[in-house]
Amino acid sequence: MTTAFIGQPVSRVDGRQKVTGRATYAAEFDVPSLAHGAIARSTVANGRIASIDSAAAKRAPGVLAVLTYRNAPRLAYRAHKGVVDPEVGERLHVLQDDRVSHQGQPVALVIADTLEQANYAATLVRVTYAPETATIEIARAEPVRPTREQPDQPERRPSEVRRGDPEGAFAGAEVKIDATYVIPRENHNPIEMHATTAAWEGDRLTLWDKTQWVHNVADEIAAVFGIPAQNIRVVSPFVGGAFGSGLRTWPHVTLAALGARVARRPVKVMLSRREMYYGVGYRPHTVQRVALGASRVGRLTAIVHDGYQETSTYEEFSEALLNASRFLHSCPNVYTRHRIARLNVHTPTYMRAPGEVSGIFALESAMDELAVALNIDPVELRLRNEPEQDEFKKLPFSSRSTRECYRAAAERFGWSRRNPEPRSMRDGRWLIGLGMASATYPMNYAPASAMARLLPDGTAEVTSASSDMGPGTWTSMTQVAAETLGLPIERVKFSLGDTRLPRAPVHGGSMTMASVGSAVQAACRKAREDALARGGANDLTEAMRRLGQPVEASADVKPGDAGQRFSMHAFGAVFVEVAVDPDLGETRVRRIVGAYGAGRIVNPKTTRSQCIGGMIGGIGMALMEHSVVDARNGRVPNANLAEYAVPVHADAPPAMDVIFVEEDDPHVNPLGVKGVGEIAMVGVAPAIANAVFHATGKRIRELPITPDKLI
Ligand code: MOS
């Protein structure tokens, strides 16, 4: 009997529930006497509601209530910010006044007996607006400096950083490139739509919600309603993808709770696919200038990276767009500047590998352009600029396996067979291109708690209020618990996704394994030691049998001071082969090889799946994804999965190789985990763009790389 589970490719413990449809997602919790909510949304991007007439909607069959700003209860909207909320600004106050701040803002909520009745009645709400001029296009807004630095992570998001003399070094550089890179707005588009069911019992509220952070939903809704967070239970055992859209608590959650209070019945609000583009965030449109200077032998002498992104008028969202440019490559003269453009849009949010994935598209595209200008192999160029330490923080890396990632991935990929000449490689009539890029993502580790309960029958229940939006948290935590307890995996039951369980940090930022995993390990270690001592046995099962009653232990973990002594990041390298149809401009990704130094890999099977998911996400970003925004009114004409293209199976290359470079990093956290959820997507889009250049000789600096840009 083995109990060594960490590092084993264990199949998902919840796999059977998922494939048999017994895993219950947010919209599937049906409670007795459930009513349904439908949201009427503004059709202008800026202005005021001039008139609102809900009489016809109220008279429609099955309608229980119609809420607008005129009759909706006033909500407390006490101050509360989760770590994922923008530091500056105030969340949208829903149905509280006549102000319209973005296209698609909720202006009415209809509650009815059935979903169909609610949806129909919502179309009967008549609203007229006093519109004001709306600025929608990023090109029409003056980018400004954020009001203040982001205090939660001051080292990640300073708005302006300078070392050395970047302008002087760039002016005097022997070889230089200077270009602007554009990424359009992209939406998360998880397959599961956002949904909330709210049920009040007196002053207690239960929310079944799609979220990446149950405790933050409770805290946020408590602040909105002015009630204690302890009165709110949030349940979210399964999440069908999120990629960041479930980090914050969006207005529809408030609406579900408000509707349930007014209708005095439980209310379910589920967003349609179209509504997913008007209120659960998106990756912001970014514009980035990168200027690189180098010596003829390929040593970087200057990096200037100047980027800005869209945000709303009511909140300042900003992400770590330029972070990696400060330490990924060695360079004595570096300038980065981050700005925001306030538009009449709803607030963007974090989307898979936020900041890094966008910034590194620009940086690693520029590095490829520099390699071409220098006539140096792109891998060699990176090796010549490999830093000995984090030159921004002036700290050693806790571990950094970039050299090994380049070597391992290049070898697996067959990089040496690449003819550097653009348009030189063909397969029949297809132009073949090989490209590569570097990747990095910070190691995040946040305070987390867990509980372990050992039972006399030799089984264990382990809990933490974490989330599993797909990576396999149910499984990986079960592995950590079983190995730490020394029990067979089928005797350990792990539970997550409920505010009744010990508090976990947000399921984002690639930090769940590091944080919750370390807490689970600590709680299980304590429970085991306690049970063995009290049971007077060397074997846990025997000790528990002798004790005849449960043994419980809780543990809290939090980061120590390693962050002051080390720069801690995962690093990787991505190699891509594309084929481009020279007549039709169609790009097919044929192969991807990614190598990652991401610390300990708890489950190579689910982690490989994560990486493949990130690669496919990167294909979408590079070749397809674009939330088109109508500059006149902020509407998204392609707010559906027919016209917002994402990769389907036929777009996924037959070969996606994932290599984990072994890293034993004792500094990052007790489990030695760096996280892979986000680095898996970083580097993919620039590697594809670089491969497209190699195939065609055309440098595409504005994503997505659609056929019209190549013919
Ligand atoms: Mo991730 S964007 O932190 O869900």
PDB file of all heavy atoms in Angstrom, residues 675-693:
ATOM      1  N   GLY A 675       3.222  27.229  -8.771  1.00  0.00           N
ATOM      2  CA  GLY A 675       1.959  27.438  -9.485  1.00  0.00           C
ATOM      3  C   GLY A 675       2.172  27.489 -10.983  1.00  0.00           C
ATOM      4  O   GLY A 675       3.182  28.012 -11.454  1.00  0.00           O
ATOM      5  N   VAL A 676       1.240  26.926 -11.734  1.00  0.00           N
ATOM      6  CA  VAL A 676       1.381  26.923 -13.202  1.00  0.00           C
ATOM      7  C   VAL A 676       0.174  27.485 -13.943  1.00  0.00           C
ATOM      8  O   VAL A 676       0.225  27.673 -15.149  1.00  0.00           O
ATOM      9  CB  VAL A 676       1.621  25.508 -13.770  1.00  0.00           C
ATOM     10  CG1 VAL A 676       2.935  24.959 -13.332  1.00  0.00           C
ATOM     11  CG2 VAL A 676       0.484  24.585 -13.435  1.00  0.00           C
ATOM     12  N   GLY A 677      -0.924  27.736 -13.223  1.00  0.00           N
ATOM     13  CA  GLY A 677      -2.177  28.094 -13.893  1.00  0.00           C
ATOM     14  C   GLY A 677      -2.023  29.225 -14.883  1.00  0.00           C
ATOM     15  O   GLY A 677      -2.656  29.226 -15.929  1.00  0.00           O
ATOM     16  N   GLU A 678      -1.195  30.186 -14.578  1.00  0.00           N
ATOM     17  CA  GLU A 678      -1.117  31.368 -15.430  1.00  0.00           C
ATOM     18  C   GLU A 678       0.109  31.345 -16.335  1.00  0.00           C
ATOM     19  O   GLU A 678       0.003  31.699 -17.508  1.00  0.00           O
ATOM     20  CB  GLU A 678      -1.133  32.632 -14.570  1.00  0.00           C
ATOM     21  CG  GLU A 678      -1.966  32.412 -13.348  1.00  0.00           C
ATOM     22  CD  GLU A 678      -3.012  33.466 -13.032  1.00  0.00           C
ATOM     23  OE1 GLU A 678      -3.565  34.128 -13.916  1.00  0.00           O
ATOM     24  OE2 GLU A 678      -3.280  33.601 -11.852  1.00  0.00           O
ATOM     25  N   ILE A 679       1.247  30.882 -15.835  1.00  0.00           N
ATOM     26  CA  ILE A 679       2.430  30.876 -16.709  1.00  0.00           C
ATOM     27  C   ILE A 679       2.163  30.007 -17.931  1.00  0.00           C
ATOM     28  O   ILE A 679       2.750  30.217 -19.001  1.00  0.00           O
ATOM     29  CB  ILE A 679       3.704  30.408 -15.960  1.00  0.00           C
ATOM     30  CG1 ILE A 679       4.943  30.749 -16.808  1.00  0.00           C
ATOM     31  CG2 ILE A 679       3.662  28.938 -15.602  1.00  0.00           C
ATOM     32  CD1 ILE A 679       6.268  30.469 -16.146  1.00  0.00           C
ATOM     33  N   ALA A 680       1.235  29.050 -17.797  1.00  0.00           N
ATOM     34  CA  ALA A 680       0.899  28.172 -18.918  1.00  0.00           C
ATOM     35  C   ALA A 680       0.443  28.946 -20.146  1.00  0.00           C
ATOM     36  O   ALA A 680       0.555  28.464 -21.265  1.00  0.00           O
ATOM     37  CB  ALA A 680      -0.190  27.199 -18.490  1.00  0.00           C
ATOM     38  N   MET A 681      -0.109  30.152 -19.938  1.00  0.00           N
ATOM     39  CA  MET A 681      -0.573  30.928 -21.092  1.00  0.00           C
ATOM     40  C   MET A 681       0.453  31.964 -21.536  1.00  0.00           C
ATOM     41  O   MET A 681       0.436  32.406 -22.684  1.00  0.00           O
ATOM     42  CB  MET A 681      -1.896  31.621 -20.739  1.00  0.00           C
ATOM     43  CG  MET A 681      -2.531  32.321 -21.918  1.00  0.00           C
ATOM     44  SD  MET A 681      -4.239  32.764 -21.587  1.00  0.00           S
ATOM     45  CE  MET A 681      -4.533  33.820 -23.025  1.00  0.00           C
ATOM     46  N   VAL A 682       1.347  32.336 -20.626  1.00  0.00           N
ATOM     47  CA  VAL A 682       2.316  33.391 -20.935  1.00  0.00           C
ATOM     48  C   VAL A 682       3.294  32.884 -22.001  1.00  0.00           C
ATOM     49  O   VAL A 682       3.749  31.745 -21.935  1.00  0.00           O
ATOM     50  CB  VAL A 682       3.088  33.808 -19.661  1.00  0.00           C
ATOM     51  CG1 VAL A 682       4.128  34.881 -19.982  1.00  0.00           C
ATOM     52  CG2 VAL A 682       2.134  34.292 -18.581  1.00  0.00           C
ATOM     53  N   GLY A 683       3.615  33.714 -22.952  1.00  0.00           N
ATOM     54  CA  GLY A 683       4.612  33.346 -23.962  1.00  0.00           C
ATOM     55  C   GLY A 683       4.026  32.663 -25.179  1.00  0.00           C
ATOM     56  O   GLY A 683       4.683  32.590 -26.222  1.00  0.00           O
ATOM     57  N   VAL A 684       2.804  32.154 -25.072  1.00  0.00           N
ATOM     58  CA  VAL A 684       2.245  31.416 -26.208  1.00  0.00           C
ATOM     59  C   VAL A 684       1.951  32.365 -27.371  1.00  0.00           C
ATOM     60  O   VAL A 684       2.347  32.103 -28.516  1.00  0.00           O
ATOM     61  CB  VAL A 684       0.977  30.634 -25.795  1.00  0.00           C
ATOM     62  CG1 VAL A 684       0.398  29.891 -26.985  1.00  0.00           C
ATOM     63  CG2 VAL A 684       1.302  29.659 -24.659  1.00  0.00           C
ATOM     64  N   ALA A 685       1.262  33.476 -27.081  1.00  0.00           N
ATOM     65  CA  ALA A 685       0.904  34.401 -28.165  1.00  0.00           C
ATOM     66  C   ALA A 685       2.140  34.986 -28.858  1.00  0.00           C
ATOM     67  O   ALA A 685       2.197  34.984 -30.098  1.00  0.00           O
ATOM     68  CB  ALA A 685      -0.024  35.500 -27.656  1.00  0.00           C
ATOM     69  N   PRO A 686       3.164  35.465 -28.123  1.00  0.00           N
ATOM     70  CA  PRO A 686       4.339  35.960 -28.848  1.00  0.00           C
ATOM     71  C   PRO A 686       5.075  34.849 -29.603  1.00  0.00           C
ATOM     72  O   PRO A 686       5.590  35.097 -30.701  1.00  0.00           O
ATOM     73  CB  PRO A 686       5.222  36.576 -27.748  1.00  0.00           C
ATOM     74  CG  PRO A 686       4.710  36.018 -26.458  1.00  0.00           C
ATOM     75  CD  PRO A 686       3.248  35.751 -26.691  1.00  0.00           C
ATOM     76  N   ALA A 687       5.109  33.632 -29.048  1.00  0.00           N
ATOM     77  CA  ALA A 687       5.780  32.548 -29.780  1.00  0.00           C
ATOM     78  C   ALA A 687       5.059  32.304 -31.106  1.00  0.00           C
ATOM     79  O   ALA A 687       5.700  32.070 -32.144  1.00  0.00           O
ATOM     80  CB  ALA A 687       5.811  31.266 -28.937  1.00  0.00           C
ATOM     81  N   ILE A 688       3.727  32.400 -31.094  1.00  0.00           N
ATOM     82  CA  ILE A 688       2.962  32.213 -32.335  1.00  0.00           C
ATOM     83  C   ILE A 688       3.223  33.381 -33.290  1.00  0.00           C
ATOM     84  O   ILE A 688       3.467  33.177 -34.487  1.00  0.00           O
ATOM     85  CB  ILE A 688       1.454  32.075 -32.024  1.00  0.00           C
ATOM     86  CG1 ILE A 688       1.197  30.746 -31.299  1.00  0.00           C
ATOM     87  CG2 ILE A 688       0.616  32.156 -33.308  1.00  0.00           C
ATOM     88  CD1 ILE A 688      -0.228  30.575 -30.771  1.00  0.00           C
ATOM     89  N   ALA A 689       3.189  34.604 -32.766  1.00  0.00           N
ATOM     90  CA  ALA A 689       3.435  35.770 -33.634  1.00  0.00           C
ATOM     91  C   ALA A 689       4.839  35.702 -34.232  1.00  0.00           C
ATOM     92  O   ALA A 689       5.037  36.032 -35.409  1.00  0.00           O
ATOM     93  CB  ALA A 689       3.254  37.061 -32.829  1.00  0.00           C
ATOM     94  N   ASN A 690       5.803  35.256 -33.434  1.00  0.00           N
ATOM     95  CA  ASN A 690       7.174  35.133 -33.927  1.00  0.00           C
ATOM     96  C   ASN A 690       7.274  34.028 -34.979  1.00  0.00           C
ATOM     97  O   ASN A 690       8.014  34.157 -35.964  1.00  0.00           O
ATOM     98  CB  ASN A 690       8.135  34.868 -32.763  1.00  0.00           C
ATOM     99  CG  ASN A 690       8.164  36.038 -31.773  1.00  0.00           C
ATOM    100  OD1 ASN A 690       7.744  37.151 -32.105  1.00  0.00           O
ATOM    101  ND2 ASN A 690       8.644  35.780 -30.560  1.00  0.00           N
ATOM    102  N   ALA A 691       6.516  32.952 -34.784  1.00  0.00           N
ATOM    103  CA  ALA A 691       6.496  31.870 -35.778  1.00  0.00           C
ATOM    104  C   ALA A 691       5.826  32.340 -37.067  1.00  0.00           C
ATOM    105  O   ALA A 691       6.260  31.981 -38.171  1.00  0.00           O
ATOM    106  CB  ALA A 691       5.772  30.650 -35.201  1.00  0.00           C
ATOM    107  N   VAL A 692       4.782  33.151 -36.925  1.00  0.00           N
ATOM    108  CA  VAL A 692       4.105  33.689 -38.121  1.00  0.00           C
ATOM    109  C   VAL A 692       5.068  34.589 -38.898  1.00  0.00           C
ATOM    110  O   VAL A 692       5.123  34.535 -40.131  1.00  0.00           O
ATOM    111  CB  VAL A 692       2.813  34.449 -37.724  1.00  0.00           C
ATOM    112  CG1 VAL A 692       2.294  35.286 -38.890  1.00  0.00           C
ATOM    113  CG2 VAL A 692       1.747  33.471 -37.239  1.00  0.00           C
ATOM    114  N   PHE A 693       5.870  35.373 -38.174  1.00  0.00           N
ATOM    115  CA  PHE A 693       6.875  36.190 -38.867  1.00  0.00           C
ATOM    116  C   PHE A 693       7.870  35.294 -39.608  1.00  0.00           C
ATOM    117  O   PHE A 693       8.219  35.548 -40.763  1.00  0.00           O
ATOM    118  CB  PHE A 693       7.634  37.098 -37.891  1.00  0.00           C
ATOM    119  CG  PHE A 693       8.776  37.810 -38.561  1.00  0.00           C
ATOM    120  CD1 PHE A 693       8.540  38.945 -39.329  1.00  0.00           C
ATOM    121  CD2 PHE A 693      10.082  37.320 -38.478  1.00  0.00           C
ATOM    122  CE1 PHE A 693       9.577  39.577 -40.004  1.00  0.00           C
ATOM    123  CE2 PHE A 693      11.125  37.957 -39.140  1.00  0.00           C
ATOM    124  CZ  PHE A 693      10.880  39.089 -39.901  1.00  0.00           C
TER     125      PHE A 693
END
